[in-house]
Amino acid sequence: ADALSFRNEQAKHIGATDPAALEQIEANLAAQKETMAGGFETLKSEDEDAGLVEETEALWQKYVDESATGIAASRAGDKAKATSILLTVGEESFVPFEKSLDDWRAEEHEEGNEAYADAQSTQSSARTTTLVLLLIALVGGGAIAFFLSRSISRGAGEMLRAAEGIAEGDVEQTV
């Protein structure tokens, strides 16, 4: 449930005439009000958002309190008074509440964009580091392979020269 659906339920209440429908709408309003209050409670745990949460919650509570007289007028059958109250309260309380929500969403969006940029930067740094380490490993591995093969081939060359010397009759070869 969100604030706009709460407001829509209030408008339905004004338009409803059937007592059972009014009862159902009032039950919906109570459930939505409780859901909204619970949503604010869960958000209060984020310290950096505490000020915005409290401001938004206070504006919501102000709207709920002020619009209750409109629902009472609707329940009493004074639909014109109920409409007038809800329209007035909408301008005076609901619009500032919506603005507070929009400000909060904008701040959260900005924080999300910053977190995304940080993640991209970290990923880019990790990729660069990985490529540099891979290049160092390839160069190091190539150098080791070169010197190892050179060492082996040098020993094999000495063995070949000694074998050729022995073949020519010089048995005094050192390897």
PDB file of all heavy atoms in Angstrom, residues 126-165:
ATOM      1  N   ALA A 126      39.892  -3.266 -10.540  1.00  0.00           N
ATOM      2  CA  ALA A 126      40.169  -4.698 -10.398  1.00  0.00           C
ATOM      3  C   ALA A 126      40.550  -5.311 -11.746  1.00  0.00           C
ATOM      4  O   ALA A 126      41.468  -6.131 -11.828  1.00  0.00           O
ATOM      5  CB  ALA A 126      38.956  -5.415  -9.807  1.00  0.00           C
ATOM      6  N   ARG A 127      39.862  -4.911 -12.796  1.00  0.00           N
ATOM      7  CA  ARG A 127      40.174  -5.416 -14.133  1.00  0.00           C
ATOM      8  C   ARG A 127      41.576  -4.987 -14.546  1.00  0.00           C
ATOM      9  O   ARG A 127      42.362  -5.790 -15.055  1.00  0.00           O
ATOM     10  CB  ARG A 127      39.154  -4.922 -15.150  1.00  0.00           C
ATOM     11  CG  ARG A 127      39.395  -5.479 -16.533  1.00  0.00           C
ATOM     12  CD  ARG A 127      38.350  -5.052 -17.550  1.00  0.00           C
ATOM     13  NE  ARG A 127      37.325  -4.266 -16.902  1.00  0.00           N
ATOM     14  CZ  ARG A 127      36.783  -3.168 -17.393  1.00  0.00           C
ATOM     15  NH1 ARG A 127      37.115  -2.722 -18.553  1.00  0.00           N
ATOM     16  NH2 ARG A 127      35.881  -2.488 -16.730  1.00  0.00           N
ATOM     17  N   THR A 128      41.906  -3.714 -14.310  1.00  0.00           N
ATOM     18  CA  THR A 128      43.233  -3.212 -14.668  1.00  0.00           C
ATOM     19  C   THR A 128      44.312  -3.952 -13.881  1.00  0.00           C
ATOM     20  O   THR A 128      45.329  -4.376 -14.451  1.00  0.00           O
ATOM     21  CB  THR A 128      43.316  -1.692 -14.391  1.00  0.00           C
ATOM     22  OG1 THR A 128      42.309  -1.034 -15.161  1.00  0.00           O
ATOM     23  CG2 THR A 128      44.676  -1.140 -14.731  1.00  0.00           C
ATOM     24  N   THR A 129      44.095  -4.122 -12.581  1.00  0.00           N
ATOM     25  CA  THR A 129      45.058  -4.836 -11.746  1.00  0.00           C
ATOM     26  C   THR A 129      45.229  -6.271 -12.228  1.00  0.00           C
ATOM     27  O   THR A 129      46.360  -6.773 -12.318  1.00  0.00           O
ATOM     28  CB  THR A 129      44.601  -4.821 -10.271  1.00  0.00           C
ATOM     29  OG1 THR A 129      44.480  -3.466  -9.847  1.00  0.00           O
ATOM     30  CG2 THR A 129      45.577  -5.564  -9.375  1.00  0.00           C
ATOM     31  N   THR A 130      44.133  -6.919 -12.563  1.00  0.00           N
ATOM     32  CA  THR A 130      44.194  -8.294 -13.061  1.00  0.00           C
ATOM     33  C   THR A 130      44.978  -8.365 -14.364  1.00  0.00           C
ATOM     34  O   THR A 130      45.827  -9.264 -14.536  1.00  0.00           O
ATOM     35  CB  THR A 130      42.768  -8.852 -13.270  1.00  0.00           C
ATOM     36  OG1 THR A 130      42.072  -8.809 -12.020  1.00  0.00           O
ATOM     37  CG2 THR A 130      42.793 -10.266 -13.796  1.00  0.00           C
ATOM     38  N   LEU A 131      44.730  -7.441 -15.263  1.00  0.00           N
ATOM     39  CA  LEU A 131      45.454  -7.448 -16.538  1.00  0.00           C
ATOM     40  C   LEU A 131      46.946  -7.190 -16.338  1.00  0.00           C
ATOM     41  O   LEU A 131      47.783  -7.833 -16.980  1.00  0.00           O
ATOM     42  CB  LEU A 131      44.844  -6.420 -17.493  1.00  0.00           C
ATOM     43  CG  LEU A 131      43.455  -6.771 -18.039  1.00  0.00           C
ATOM     44  CD1 LEU A 131      42.894  -5.621 -18.862  1.00  0.00           C
ATOM     45  CD2 LEU A 131      43.510  -8.049 -18.865  1.00  0.00           C
ATOM     46  N   VAL A 132      47.286  -6.264 -15.452  1.00  0.00           N
ATOM     47  CA  VAL A 132      48.701  -5.976 -15.173  1.00  0.00           C
ATOM     48  C   VAL A 132      49.376  -7.205 -14.574  1.00  0.00           C
ATOM     49  O   VAL A 132      50.483  -7.583 -14.990  1.00  0.00           O
ATOM     50  CB  VAL A 132      48.842  -4.743 -14.251  1.00  0.00           C
ATOM     51  CG1 VAL A 132      50.240  -4.620 -13.695  1.00  0.00           C
ATOM     52  CG2 VAL A 132      48.463  -3.473 -15.004  1.00  0.00           C
ATOM     53  N   LEU A 133      48.708  -7.839 -13.597  1.00  0.00           N
ATOM     54  CA  LEU A 133      49.291  -9.041 -12.991  1.00  0.00           C
ATOM     55  C   LEU A 133      49.423 -10.178 -14.005  1.00  0.00           C
ATOM     56  O   LEU A 133      50.415 -10.912 -13.986  1.00  0.00           O
ATOM     57  CB  LEU A 133      48.446  -9.488 -11.792  1.00  0.00           C
ATOM     58  CG  LEU A 133      48.505  -8.588 -10.558  1.00  0.00           C
ATOM     59  CD1 LEU A 133      47.513  -9.074  -9.500  1.00  0.00           C
ATOM     60  CD2 LEU A 133      49.910  -8.524  -9.987  1.00  0.00           C
ATOM     61  N   LEU A 134      48.445 -10.309 -14.878  1.00  0.00           N
ATOM     62  CA  LEU A 134      48.513 -11.324 -15.928  1.00  0.00           C
ATOM     63  C   LEU A 134      49.681 -11.048 -16.865  1.00  0.00           C
ATOM     64  O   LEU A 134      50.427 -11.967 -17.230  1.00  0.00           O
ATOM     65  CB  LEU A 134      47.191 -11.371 -16.710  1.00  0.00           C
ATOM     66  CG  LEU A 134      47.074 -12.424 -17.804  1.00  0.00           C
ATOM     67  CD1 LEU A 134      47.217 -13.815 -17.212  1.00  0.00           C
ATOM     68  CD2 LEU A 134      45.750 -12.287 -18.523  1.00  0.00           C
ATOM     69  N   LEU A 135      49.865  -9.792 -17.241  1.00  0.00           N
ATOM     70  CA  LEU A 135      50.976  -9.414 -18.109  1.00  0.00           C
ATOM     71  C   LEU A 135      52.313  -9.690 -17.421  1.00  0.00           C
ATOM     72  O   LEU A 135      53.234 -10.236 -18.040  1.00  0.00           O
ATOM     73  CB  LEU A 135      50.862  -7.937 -18.494  1.00  0.00           C
ATOM     74  CG  LEU A 135      51.898  -7.406 -19.480  1.00  0.00           C
ATOM     75  CD1 LEU A 135      51.808  -8.152 -20.803  1.00  0.00           C
ATOM     76  CD2 LEU A 135      51.699  -5.920 -19.691  1.00  0.00           C
ATOM     77  N   ILE A 136      52.414  -9.339 -16.134  1.00  0.00           N
ATOM     78  CA  ILE A 136      53.652  -9.603 -15.380  1.00  0.00           C
ATOM     79  C   ILE A 136      53.913 -11.113 -15.318  1.00  0.00           C
ATOM     80  O   ILE A 136      55.057 -11.562 -15.505  1.00  0.00           O
ATOM     81  CB  ILE A 136      53.556  -8.990 -13.960  1.00  0.00           C
ATOM     82  CG1 ILE A 136      53.622  -7.468 -14.038  1.00  0.00           C
ATOM     83  CG2 ILE A 136      54.656  -9.533 -13.055  1.00  0.00           C
ATOM     84  CD1 ILE A 136      53.317  -6.761 -12.731  1.00  0.00           C
ATOM     85  N   ALA A 137      52.853 -11.900 -15.092  1.00  0.00           N
ATOM     86  CA  ALA A 137      53.006 -13.352 -15.036  1.00  0.00           C
ATOM     87  C   ALA A 137      53.451 -13.910 -16.388  1.00  0.00           C
ATOM     88  O   ALA A 137      54.321 -14.796 -16.446  1.00  0.00           O
ATOM     89  CB  ALA A 137      51.701 -14.004 -14.592  1.00  0.00           C
ATOM     90  N   LEU A 138      52.888 -13.382 -17.464  1.00  0.00           N
ATOM     91  CA  LEU A 138      53.285 -13.851 -18.798  1.00  0.00           C
ATOM     92  C   LEU A 138      54.739 -13.494 -19.098  1.00  0.00           C
ATOM     93  O   LEU A 138      55.503 -14.328 -19.596  1.00  0.00           O
ATOM     94  CB  LEU A 138      52.362 -13.258 -19.863  1.00  0.00           C
ATOM     95  CG  LEU A 138      50.974 -13.874 -19.961  1.00  0.00           C
ATOM     96  CD1 LEU A 138      50.106 -13.087 -20.935  1.00  0.00           C
ATOM     97  CD2 LEU A 138      51.054 -15.326 -20.381  1.00  0.00           C
ATOM     98  N   VAL A 139      55.131 -12.262 -18.805  1.00  0.00           N
ATOM     99  CA  VAL A 139      56.514 -11.840 -19.055  1.00  0.00           C
ATOM    100  C   VAL A 139      57.467 -12.639 -18.166  1.00  0.00           C
ATOM    101  O   VAL A 139      58.501 -13.130 -18.624  1.00  0.00           O
ATOM    102  CB  VAL A 139      56.671 -10.312 -18.820  1.00  0.00           C
ATOM    103  CG1 VAL A 139      58.126  -9.905 -18.791  1.00  0.00           C
ATOM    104  CG2 VAL A 139      55.924  -9.542 -19.903  1.00  0.00           C
ATOM    105  N   GLY A 140      57.102 -12.777 -16.883  1.00  0.00           N
ATOM    106  CA  GLY A 140      57.940 -13.556 -15.957  1.00  0.00           C
ATOM    107  C   GLY A 140      58.040 -15.006 -16.394  1.00  0.00           C
ATOM    108  O   GLY A 140      59.137 -15.601 -16.389  1.00  0.00           O
ATOM    109  N   GLY A 141      56.919 -15.594 -16.767  1.00  0.00           N
ATOM    110  CA  GLY A 141      56.911 -16.988 -17.239  1.00  0.00           C
ATOM    111  C   GLY A 141      57.721 -17.146 -18.511  1.00  0.00           C
ATOM    112  O   GLY A 141      58.467 -18.121 -18.676  1.00  0.00           O
ATOM    113  N   GLY A 142      57.599 -16.188 -19.404  1.00  0.00           N
ATOM    114  CA  GLY A 142      58.380 -16.233 -20.653  1.00  0.00           C
ATOM    115  C   GLY A 142      59.875 -16.128 -20.374  1.00  0.00           C
ATOM    116  O   GLY A 142      60.686 -16.833 -20.992  1.00  0.00           O
ATOM    117  N   ALA A 143      60.250 -15.222 -19.446  1.00  0.00           N
ATOM    118  CA  ALA A 143      61.672 -15.057 -19.103  1.00  0.00           C
ATOM    119  C   ALA A 143      62.216 -16.332 -18.471  1.00  0.00           C
ATOM    120  O   ALA A 143      63.323 -16.786 -18.819  1.00  0.00           O
ATOM    121  CB  ALA A 143      61.849 -13.872 -18.152  1.00  0.00           C
ATOM    122  N   ILE A 144      61.473 -16.936 -17.559  1.00  0.00           N
ATOM    123  CA  ILE A 144      61.908 -18.189 -16.934  1.00  0.00           C
ATOM    124  C   ILE A 144      62.058 -19.274 -17.990  1.00  0.00           C
ATOM    125  O   ILE A 144      63.056 -20.014 -18.007  1.00  0.00           O
ATOM    126  CB  ILE A 144      60.927 -18.616 -15.814  1.00  0.00           C
ATOM    127  CG1 ILE A 144      61.047 -17.656 -14.627  1.00  0.00           C
ATOM    128  CG2 ILE A 144      61.169 -20.050 -15.369  1.00  0.00           C
ATOM    129  CD1 ILE A 144      59.982 -17.838 -13.560  1.00  0.00           C
ATOM    130  N   ALA A 145      61.092 -19.383 -18.877  1.00  0.00           N
ATOM    131  CA  ALA A 145      61.153 -20.393 -19.941  1.00  0.00           C
ATOM    132  C   ALA A 145      62.362 -20.159 -20.851  1.00  0.00           C
ATOM    133  O   ALA A 145      63.052 -21.108 -21.243  1.00  0.00           O
ATOM    134  CB  ALA A 145      59.862 -20.374 -20.754  1.00  0.00           C
ATOM    135  N   PHE A 146      62.621 -18.888 -21.170  1.00  0.00           N
ATOM    136  CA  PHE A 146      63.767 -18.570 -22.043  1.00  0.00           C
ATOM    137  C   PHE A 146      65.075 -18.992 -21.384  1.00  0.00           C
ATOM    138  O   PHE A 146      65.903 -19.680 -21.990  1.00  0.00           O
ATOM    139  CB  PHE A 146      63.781 -17.067 -22.349  1.00  0.00           C
ATOM    140  CG  PHE A 146      64.997 -16.613 -23.089  1.00  0.00           C
ATOM    141  CD1 PHE A 146      65.149 -16.879 -24.433  1.00  0.00           C
ATOM    142  CD2 PHE A 146      66.006 -15.928 -22.414  1.00  0.00           C
ATOM    143  CE1 PHE A 146      66.289 -16.466 -25.108  1.00  0.00           C
ATOM    144  CE2 PHE A 146      67.153 -15.516 -23.082  1.00  0.00           C
ATOM    145  CZ  PHE A 146      67.298 -15.779 -24.426  1.00  0.00           C
ATOM    146  N   PHE A 147      65.279 -18.574 -20.124  1.00  0.00           N
ATOM    147  CA  PHE A 147      66.542 -18.896 -19.450  1.00  0.00           C
ATOM    148  C   PHE A 147      66.671 -20.389 -19.172  1.00  0.00           C
ATOM    149  O   PHE A 147      67.762 -20.949 -19.271  1.00  0.00           O
ATOM    150  CB  PHE A 147      66.689 -18.072 -18.164  1.00  0.00           C
ATOM    151  CG  PHE A 147      66.967 -16.624 -18.434  1.00  0.00           C
ATOM    152  CD1 PHE A 147      66.053 -15.639 -18.080  1.00  0.00           C
ATOM    153  CD2 PHE A 147      68.132 -16.235 -19.085  1.00  0.00           C
ATOM    154  CE1 PHE A 147      66.303 -14.307 -18.340  1.00  0.00           C
ATOM    155  CE2 PHE A 147      68.393 -14.896 -19.344  1.00  0.00           C
ATOM    156  CZ  PHE A 147      67.481 -13.922 -18.979  1.00  0.00           C
ATOM    157  N   LEU A 148      65.594 -21.045 -18.844  1.00  0.00           N
ATOM    158  CA  LEU A 148      65.626 -22.485 -18.610  1.00  0.00           C
ATOM    159  C   LEU A 148      65.958 -23.234 -19.899  1.00  0.00           C
ATOM    160  O   LEU A 148      66.815 -24.134 -19.904  1.00  0.00           O
ATOM    161  CB  LEU A 148      64.287 -22.948 -18.038  1.00  0.00           C
ATOM    162  CG  LEU A 148      64.188 -24.395 -17.588  1.00  0.00           C
ATOM    163  CD1 LEU A 148      65.210 -24.688 -16.494  1.00  0.00           C
ATOM    164  CD2 LEU A 148      62.792 -24.718 -17.103  1.00  0.00           C
ATOM    165  N   SER A 149      65.341 -22.855 -20.988  1.00  0.00           N
ATOM    166  CA  SER A 149      65.630 -23.535 -22.268  1.00  0.00           C
ATOM    167  C   SER A 149      67.056 -23.235 -22.728  1.00  0.00           C
ATOM    168  O   SER A 149      67.734 -24.106 -23.287  1.00  0.00           O
ATOM    169  CB  SER A 149      64.625 -23.119 -23.343  1.00  0.00           C
ATOM    170  OG  SER A 149      64.782 -21.753 -23.682  1.00  0.00           O
ATOM    171  N   ARG A 150      67.508 -22.021 -22.460  1.00  0.00           N
ATOM    172  CA  ARG A 150      68.888 -21.660 -22.823  1.00  0.00           C
ATOM    173  C   ARG A 150      69.885 -22.489 -21.996  1.00  0.00           C
ATOM    174  O   ARG A 150      70.890 -22.980 -22.518  1.00  0.00           O
ATOM    175  CB  ARG A 150      69.102 -20.177 -22.566  1.00  0.00           C
ATOM    176  CG  ARG A 150      70.220 -19.614 -23.365  1.00  0.00           C
ATOM    177  CD  ARG A 150      70.172 -18.120 -23.316  1.00  0.00           C
ATOM    178  NE  ARG A 150      71.541 -17.675 -23.098  1.00  0.00           N
ATOM    179  CZ  ARG A 150      71.912 -16.492 -22.747  1.00  0.00           C
ATOM    180  NH1 ARG A 150      71.004 -15.569 -22.524  1.00  0.00           N
ATOM    181  NH2 ARG A 150      73.160 -16.194 -22.606  1.00  0.00           N
ATOM    182  N   SER A 151      69.600 -22.658 -20.734  1.00  0.00           N
ATOM    183  CA  SER A 151      70.455 -23.459 -19.858  1.00  0.00           C
ATOM    184  C   SER A 151      70.486 -24.913 -20.317  1.00  0.00           C
ATOM    185  O   SER A 151      71.542 -25.542 -20.372  1.00  0.00           O
ATOM    186  CB  SER A 151      69.933 -23.347 -18.428  1.00  0.00           C
ATOM    187  OG  SER A 151      70.497 -24.320 -17.601  1.00  0.00           O
ATOM    188  N   ILE A 152      69.322 -25.440 -20.645  1.00  0.00           N
ATOM    189  CA  ILE A 152      69.248 -26.837 -21.103  1.00  0.00           C
ATOM    190  C   ILE A 152      69.959 -26.993 -22.438  1.00  0.00           C
ATOM    191  O   ILE A 152      70.732 -27.937 -22.637  1.00  0.00           O
ATOM    192  CB  ILE A 152      67.776 -27.298 -21.194  1.00  0.00           C
ATOM    193  CG1 ILE A 152      67.192 -27.402 -19.793  1.00  0.00           C
ATOM    194  CG2 ILE A 152      67.645 -28.626 -21.931  1.00  0.00           C
ATOM    195  CD1 ILE A 152      65.693 -27.644 -19.754  1.00  0.00           C
ATOM    196  N   SER A 153      69.723 -26.064 -23.347  1.00  0.00           N
ATOM    197  CA  SER A 153      70.350 -26.197 -24.669  1.00  0.00           C
ATOM    198  C   SER A 153      71.861 -25.981 -24.595  1.00  0.00           C
ATOM    199  O   SER A 153      72.625 -26.597 -25.345  1.00  0.00           O
ATOM    200  CB  SER A 153      69.721 -25.237 -25.674  1.00  0.00           C
ATOM    201  OG  SER A 153      69.973 -23.899 -25.316  1.00  0.00           O
ATOM    202  N   ARG A 154      72.334 -25.142 -23.674  1.00  0.00           N
ATOM    203  CA  ARG A 154      73.776 -24.948 -23.495  1.00  0.00           C
ATOM    204  C   ARG A 154      74.408 -26.267 -23.021  1.00  0.00           C
ATOM    205  O   ARG A 154      75.450 -26.691 -23.530  1.00  0.00           O
ATOM    206  CB  ARG A 154      74.050 -23.842 -22.482  1.00  0.00           C
ATOM    207  CG  ARG A 154      75.548 -23.555 -22.358  1.00  0.00           C
ATOM    208  CD  ARG A 154      75.839 -22.376 -21.450  1.00  0.00           C
ATOM    209  NE  ARG A 154      75.309 -21.152 -22.013  1.00  0.00           N
ATOM    210  CZ  ARG A 154      74.723 -20.179 -21.324  1.00  0.00           C
ATOM    211  NH1 ARG A 154      74.615 -20.283 -20.012  1.00  0.00           N
ATOM    212  NH2 ARG A 154      74.259 -19.120 -21.916  1.00  0.00           N
ATOM    213  N   GLY A 155      73.779 -26.933 -22.057  1.00  0.00           N
ATOM    214  CA  GLY A 155      74.282 -28.223 -21.568  1.00  0.00           C
ATOM    215  C   GLY A 155      74.258 -29.270 -22.671  1.00  0.00           C
ATOM    216  O   GLY A 155      75.193 -30.068 -22.814  1.00  0.00           O
ATOM    217  N   ALA A 156      73.204 -29.276 -23.451  1.00  0.00           N
ATOM    218  CA  ALA A 156      73.103 -30.237 -24.551  1.00  0.00           C
ATOM    219  C   ALA A 156      74.166 -29.939 -25.611  1.00  0.00           C
ATOM    220  O   ALA A 156      74.757 -30.856 -26.211  1.00  0.00           O
ATOM    221  CB  ALA A 156      71.707 -30.195 -25.168  1.00  0.00           C
ATOM    222  N   GLY A 157      74.446 -28.653 -25.820  1.00  0.00           N
ATOM    223  CA  GLY A 157      75.497 -28.277 -26.789  1.00  0.00           C
ATOM    224  C   GLY A 157      76.871 -28.747 -26.333  1.00  0.00           C
ATOM    225  O   GLY A 157      77.680 -29.221 -27.134  1.00  0.00           O
ATOM    226  N   GLU A 158      77.140 -28.623 -25.026  1.00  0.00           N
ATOM    227  CA  GLU A 158      78.425 -29.090 -24.481  1.00  0.00           C
ATOM    228  C   GLU A 158      78.532 -30.607 -24.653  1.00  0.00           C
ATOM    229  O   GLU A 158      79.599 -31.134 -24.988  1.00  0.00           O
ATOM    230  CB  GLU A 158      78.557 -28.711 -23.010  1.00  0.00           C
ATOM    231  CG  GLU A 158      78.788 -27.233 -22.780  1.00  0.00           C
ATOM    232  CD  GLU A 158      78.864 -26.878 -21.301  1.00  0.00           C
ATOM    233  OE1 GLU A 158      79.023 -27.790 -20.455  1.00  0.00           O
ATOM    234  OE2 GLU A 158      78.749 -25.681 -20.992  1.00  0.00           O
ATOM    235  N   MET A 159      77.424 -31.301 -24.392  1.00  0.00           N
ATOM    236  CA  MET A 159      77.420 -32.763 -24.570  1.00  0.00           C
ATOM    237  C   MET A 159      77.672 -33.128 -26.022  1.00  0.00           C
ATOM    238  O   MET A 159      78.407 -34.073 -26.316  1.00  0.00           O
ATOM    239  CB  MET A 159      76.076 -33.355 -24.114  1.00  0.00           C
ATOM    240  CG  MET A 159      75.827 -33.266 -22.633  1.00  0.00           C
ATOM    241  SD  MET A 159      76.838 -34.393 -21.712  1.00  0.00           S
ATOM    242  CE  MET A 159      76.023 -35.915 -22.042  1.00  0.00           C
ATOM    243  N   LEU A 160      77.103 -32.374 -26.944  1.00  0.00           N
ATOM    244  CA  LEU A 160      77.283 -32.648 -28.366  1.00  0.00           C
ATOM    245  C   LEU A 160      78.750 -32.431 -28.765  1.00  0.00           C
ATOM    246  O   LEU A 160      79.339 -33.248 -29.477  1.00  0.00           O
ATOM    247  CB  LEU A 160      76.354 -31.747 -29.196  1.00  0.00           C
ATOM    248  CG  LEU A 160      76.434 -31.916 -30.723  1.00  0.00           C
ATOM    249  CD1 LEU A 160      76.037 -33.338 -31.123  1.00  0.00           C
ATOM    250  CD2 LEU A 160      75.565 -30.904 -31.410  1.00  0.00           C
ATOM    251  N   ARG A 161      79.365 -31.335 -28.312  1.00  0.00           N
ATOM    252  CA  ARG A 161      80.778 -31.066 -28.621  1.00  0.00           C
ATOM    253  C   ARG A 161      81.689 -32.162 -28.029  1.00  0.00           C
ATOM    254  O   ARG A 161      82.647 -32.602 -28.659  1.00  0.00           O
ATOM    255  CB  ARG A 161      81.189 -29.706 -28.100  1.00  0.00           C
ATOM    256  CG  ARG A 161      80.751 -28.571 -29.024  1.00  0.00           C
ATOM    257  CD  ARG A 161      81.353 -27.237 -28.619  1.00  0.00           C
ATOM    258  NE  ARG A 161      80.825 -26.723 -27.342  1.00  0.00           N
ATOM    259  CZ  ARG A 161      79.657 -26.154 -27.186  1.00  0.00           C
ATOM    260  NH1 ARG A 161      78.844 -26.010 -28.213  1.00  0.00           N
ATOM    261  NH2 ARG A 161      79.253 -25.727 -26.002  1.00  0.00           N
ATOM    262  N   ALA A 162      81.363 -32.583 -26.802  1.00  0.00           N
ATOM    263  CA  ALA A 162      82.160 -33.641 -26.179  1.00  0.00           C
ATOM    264  C   ALA A 162      82.024 -34.935 -26.966  1.00  0.00           C
ATOM    265  O   ALA A 162      83.017 -35.657 -27.190  1.00  0.00           O
ATOM    266  CB  ALA A 162      81.727 -33.855 -24.733  1.00  0.00           C
ATOM    267  N   ALA A 163      80.814 -35.245 -27.409  1.00  0.00           N
ATOM    268  CA  ALA A 163      80.597 -36.467 -28.190  1.00  0.00           C
ATOM    269  C   ALA A 163      81.340 -36.395 -29.515  1.00  0.00           C
ATOM    270  O   ALA A 163      81.927 -37.380 -29.983  1.00  0.00           O
ATOM    271  CB  ALA A 163      79.114 -36.690 -28.415  1.00  0.00           C
ATOM    272  N   GLU A 164      81.350 -35.239 -30.149  1.00  0.00           N
ATOM    273  CA  GLU A 164      82.067 -35.077 -31.424  1.00  0.00           C
ATOM    274  C   GLU A 164      83.583 -35.221 -31.190  1.00  0.00           C
ATOM    275  O   GLU A 164      84.305 -35.803 -31.996  1.00  0.00           O
ATOM    276  CB  GLU A 164      81.747 -33.720 -32.045  1.00  0.00           C
ATOM    277  CG  GLU A 164      80.352 -33.643 -32.633  1.00  0.00           C
ATOM    278  CD  GLU A 164      79.984 -32.234 -33.107  1.00  0.00           C
ATOM    279  OE1 GLU A 164      80.751 -31.276 -32.866  1.00  0.00           O
ATOM    280  OE2 GLU A 164      78.909 -32.095 -33.702  1.00  0.00           O
ATOM    281  N   GLY A 165      84.067 -34.642 -30.081  1.00  0.00           N
ATOM    282  CA  GLY A 165      85.499 -34.761 -29.751  1.00  0.00           C
ATOM    283  C   GLY A 165      85.887 -36.201 -29.499  1.00  0.00           C
ATOM    284  O   GLY A 165      86.949 -36.664 -29.940  1.00  0.00           O
TER     285      GLY A 165
END
